[in-house]
Amino acid sequence: ARNIFAKLTDGKMRTNSTFYNLGVAHQGLKNHKAATEAFREAIRLEKMDVDAIYQMGASFHKLRDRDGVGRSY
């Protein structure tokens, strides 16, 4: 799934939901740094996406990045 979403984000499918799903795929692989980057882009595209904000905070928590957790809420 991660490879599919990564390919979609390179082309015309640069949408909030594509980046959100890419972030979820990275979380599933425990690649939380890449997940936070994908969620950040999802939020940039749709500022009030509370699911992406929450998931980004969860990934920052897994990275033990307290500053990142605070910025995501």
Side-chain angles (χ1 to χ4, degrees), residues 41-62:
E41 185 63 14
I43 295 163
R44 188 187 71 75
L45 293 168
E46 189 175 318
K47 305 254 186 279
M48 298 305 294
D49 183 342
V50 295
D51 293 324
I53 294 167
Y54 176 84
Q55 292 300 336
M56 185 170 72
S59 282
F60 276 127
H61 178 74
K62 292 287 188 178

Side-chain angles (χ1 to χ4, degrees), residues 13-52:
M13 294 296 295
R14 295 185 58 83
T15 65
N16 163 275
S17 62
T18 303
F19 281 99
Y20 176 83
N21 288 314
L22 177 60
V24 170
H26 280 300
Q27 280 181 326
L29 296 170
K30 300 190 185 323
N31 187 355
H32 295 288
K33 184 174 182 344
T36 60
E37 293 167 6
F39 291 131
R40 184 173 284 121
E41 185 63 14
I43 295 163
R44 188 187 71 75
L45 293 168
E46 189 175 318
K47 305 254 186 279
M48 298 305 294
D49 183 342
V50 295
D51 293 324

